[in-house]
Amino acid sequence: KKYERMENLKLVVKALKAVQPQLDVHVTDRYDILLDRQYKISGTAAKLGRTSAYHHCTLLCNADKRVLSSVLKSPFKGLKSNATPSVPALVKNLFEEDTSLTSEILLDAIAKEYAVQHQIDHHITLINPADETLLPGISDKTKELQTWEWVYGKTPKFSISTCLNMVYKDSVLDVKVNMDVKHGRIEVCNIDLPEQWLPPGLYSELVRSLTGSKFCPNEITALVTTLLRVCPQDDELHSRWTLLCENMIRLM
């Protein structure tokens, strides 16, 4: 009930100003922290549970901005979901503004401000997040969070509407693909192939096999390999089938 995201971020801003009063930093309505009214130095995420609330925020201290830019640009096109859309922003390291603003200095300043506001002793305890004695069960939890069931199976429902530009015999075929994916599995699948490009039975079997399968390149590779065994022994048909399957796997 005491949870206030805006107040949490104001605490961070107050800590920054305590270290460097000249800093022009403020919190926006989107719960970001801006430097000089234009550079984003903090993004935020939150989860409100029934009995607890979480606030996760960042502070851009001294990151490699080239790497940061590359990992934030998704190569995927035609994806639609209910996920909160990311809004591109200009960024700047606090270290660029003032080389005295190291992560150690900022950590201490935020902890000190937190202690003042909550009237507790100012003390920082650094813990090893992999220490099983401090955090019993952390190893099992780590393994769980690396499984397909968590990484992809918990993904919010999304849809794909894209066009595969497949080069075949010096010509380009535009193949439209529409999929609905729920809990990481293909719920609905439609592939708009040129007429007579594949035998109707083989096409139907492909769509039927994809429906219900994991949206995962490894599973789809195994699936199309199995289907290839029942494909008619025709070299041109095999070439077309292989081309389509390679593009579908790449889509994953």
Side-chain angles (χ1 to χ4, degrees):
K1 292 178 181 178
K2 296 178 181 178
Y3 175 82
E4 288 187 68
R5 225 187 320 178
M6 185 62 77
E7 291 306 310
N8 294 342
L9 293 170
K10 285 179 179 178
L11 184 153
V12 176
V13 166
K14 195 171 179 181
L16 285 170
K17 287 184 174 291
V19 177
Q20 177 47 275
Q22 303 304 315
L23 282 178
D24 178 8
V25 284
H26 77 282
V27 185
T28 71
D29 293 338
R30 285 180 55 87
Y31 301 109
D32 296 330
I33 299 178
L34 294 188
L35 172 67
D36 297 333
R37 303 281 161 174
Q38 58 177 323
Y39 300 109
K40 184 174 174 178
I41 59 170
S42 176
T44 189
K47 177 181 178 181
L48 295 176
R50 187 173 57 83
T51 59
S52 56
Y54 302 86
H55 184 182
H56 161 73
C57 76
T58 57
L59 198 54
L60 198 58
C61 179
N62 193 12
D64 186 328
K65 290 194 292 185
R66 290 170 300 177
V67 174
L68 181 65
S69 176
S70 68
V71 298
L72 290 177
K73 290 177 182 174
S74 173
F76 301 108
K77 306 297 179 187
L79 281 177
K80 291 182 181 178
S81 78
N82 293 327
T84 304
S86 179
V87 179
L90 293 172
V91 297
K92 189 175 185 179
N93 283 306
L94 285 165
F95 191 78
E96 295 174 62
E97 189 78 3
D98 185 338
T99 54
S100 71
L101 298 176
T102 63
S103 56
E104 292 79 14
I105 293 292
L106 296 175
L107 178 68
D108 186 68
I110 293 169
K112 191 176 291 183
E113 185 59 40
Y114 186 90
V116 170
Q117 286 203 23
H118 293 275
Q119 299 180 329
I120 59 174
D121 291 335
H122 169 223
H123 178 69
I124 297 173
T125 303
L126 296 177
I127 65 167
N128 175 4
D131 190 340
E132 192 78 28
T133 58
L134 280 175
L135 303 164
I138 194 67
S139 299
D140 290 339
K141 183 59 69 175
T142 301
K143 291 174 185 174
E144 178 193 337
L145 297 181
Q146 292 171 339
T147 61
W148 183 92
E149 285 70 22
W150 170 259
V151 178
Y152 299 103
K154 298 290 185 181
T155 304
K157 184 177 181 178
F158 66 93
S159 63
I160 294 174
S161 181
T162 190
C163 186
L164 304 176
N165 304 122
M166 305 195 316
V167 179
Y168 183 73
K169 289 188 175 180
D170 299 324
S171 62
V172 178
L173 296 171
D174 292 330
V175 177
K176 293 179 181 177
V177 177
N178 292 285
M179 287 183 182
D180 290 339
V181 183
K182 185 177 181 181
H183 300 315
R185 290 184 178 273
I186 301 168
E187 202 173 35
V188 176
C189 177
N190 290 299
I191 306 171
D192 188 8
L193 286 171
E195 194 174 352
Q196 304 300 320
W197 207 70
L198 279 182
L202 191 58
Y203 166 77
S204 298
E205 186 63 22
L206 174 62
V207 172
R208 188 192 67 76
S209 299
L210 285 172
T211 306
S213 297
K214 290 179 179 178
F215 187 77
C216 165
N218 292 341
E219 177 146 326
I220 302 307
T221 300
L223 184 150
V224 297
T225 302
T226 301
L227 289 179
L228 185 60
R229 296 196 189 105
V230 299
C231 181
Q233 298 304 306
D234 179 294
D235 288 344
E236 183 170 350
L237 192 54
H238 271 246
S239 297
R240 292 179 177 186
W241 173 261
T242 302
L243 179 64
L244 174 61
C245 291
E246 284 175 350
N247 277 271
M248 289 299 294
I249 291 166
R250 202 173 294 128
L251 181 62
M252 307 292 165

